[in-house]
Amino acid sequence: MNKIQMTTPLVEMDGDEMTRILWKMIKDELLTPFIDLKTEYYDLGLEHRNETNDQITIDSANATKKYGVAVKCATITPNAARMTEYDLKEMWKSPNGTIRAILDGTVFRAPIVVKGIEPCVKNWKKPITIARHAYGDVYKNTEMKIPGAGKVELVYTAEDGSQTKELVFDFKGPGVAQGMHNIDASIESFAKSCFNYALDTKQDLWFATKDTISKKYDHTFKDIFQEIFDAEYKEKFEAAGITYFYTLIDDAVARVMKSEGGYIWACKNYDGDVMSDMVSSAFGSLAMMTSVLVSPDGYYEYEAAHGTVQRHYYKHLKGEETSTNSVATIFAWSGALRKRGEMDGNQELMEFADKLENATIQTIEEGKMTKDLALITTMENPTVLNSGDFIKAIADTLRK
Ligand code: NAP
Ligand code: MG
């Protein structure tokens, strides 16, 4: 069989634990038999991050700027327990955080919808993609406990020393106060990433804040989105047959629950934190959720939304059988290959990405799945496969 050729490499970011095991199986069974796979390989496994003082993570993000598309395996974010387990020189930062800071991107999370794994919300027929702004607000706040009577004020001191003050509250007794901020440049990047991704995936874009109550803070988000849309995206959206829709956050929540899905829901940082957990759990499983980081400059990094599945890895190390779901990691690869194909005008590669996704979905719909899905499926008598056999079953479907 003639293998599909690639003209430009993908940035391949390998990772840790069980997902590192799945990573190799996916390459061996589903990719290299069909594609002459070209990647620039970066080992973000924790041991190698430690050896390189985390330089490897920075290099991999810079390579993504060079080539445009990356695919990433789940990685360990070290904590105290990992310091001892891996004998680390430092508690290295989250690779996702480092990569996101370099690419300045927005993360889009979308469920993979298959028959037999039904969302809890029965009218949701198509995926709902959540885009979460990843800078500022309550995540970079300054807080105070107010011990007793007194005034709390916001003070802005300009570079020339002049000051503007706003009274927060004139306390008569104890309480709490909080200051938070955001930056126009970050909101602009967020807006552009959302508009670009909507065009890319030909889906409507929804955005919501509480601008009726927050007349300056949230209103700035609303205004920046609208200004960028009118100036740069309105015609492109019309040509693509998609819409941009702004509403209040509480109205958005009500509409989302009654919708069929099939759109992108852009959220401020806190709303996105909360709503992405609601949407992903309602769609069934974190193991069926993909994630893509889209930068305002048009760089893409694809990954699974789940972690390294540590508990399964320890079983694997003991020689016990595992049944770990590889779907989100497979879709990270297919997403990256499709994008590579689009950027390079490589039709065959784009078609392969579709076929790989279809084969994965078909395999599950035929009743062959991993244990996590077997526990929640509406199908009767599903066949539960181990990690390797599930990937082999997809390879069989793909060959057919
Ligand atoms: P996790 O790896 O997502 O796993 C949590 C649990 O969810 C698993 O124990 C498993 O449940 C279930 N699960 C998740 N993915 C699954 C899959 N593909 N197939 C079957 N079951 C799956 O989260 P964690 O255990 O909290 O974190 C482990 C490590 O991952 C941590 O070191 C963390 O830093 C890292 N992490 C990385 C990323 C990333 O790179 N993007 C994201 C999150 C976490 P059962 O054990 O009940 O079967
Ligand atoms: Mg959360």
Side-chain angles (χ1 to χ4, degrees), residues 72-198:
K72 180 180 169 293
C73 180
T75 46
I76 293 170
T77 298
N79 55 15
R82 301 295 197 171
M83 292 289 291
T84 346
E85 186 184 352
Y86 285 85
D87 192 18
L88 300 180
K89 295 186 240 176
E90 256 182 59
M91 204 184 282
W92 307 111
K93 287 191 202 143
S94 149
N96 290 58
T98 303
I99 295 165
R100 196 162 62 205
I102 294 172
L103 298 182
D104 180 26
T106 299
V107 173
F108 296 80
R109 272 181 157 202
I112 299 151
V113 178
V114 296
K115 282 196 211 85
I117 314 292
E118 306 301 333
C120 304
V121 181
K122 64 179 185 307
N123 44 286
W124 287 359
K125 306 275 183 253
K126 295 181 218 159
I128 296 170
T129 302
I130 298 265
R132 173 181 171 190
H133 185 212
Y135 179 83
D137 302 348
V138 75
Y139 300 86
K140 285 221 184 285
N141 72 355
T142 307
E143 304 185 317
M144 265 185 184
K145 265 181 156 315
I146 308 301
K151 277 184 197 158
V152 173
E153 291 173 320
L154 281 178
V155 182
Y156 164 65
T157 310
E159 276 181 324
D160 68 5
S162 63
Q163 292 194 328
T164 318
K165 283 186 192 174
E166 288 284 347
L167 178 70
V168 175
F169 194 63
D170 190 355
F171 285 87
K172 304 290 176 242
V176 283
Q178 179 183 65
M180 46 184 208
H181 76 279
N182 221 300
I183 302 167
D184 284 5
S186 173
I187 304 168
E188 286 161 16
S189 291
F190 176 48
K192 284 183 186 171
S193 296
C194 290
F195 291 130
N196 286 338
Y197 194 66

Side-chain angles (χ1 to χ4, degrees), residues 132 273-274 276-277:
R132 173 181 171 190
D273 185 353
V274 177
S276 66
D277 278 3

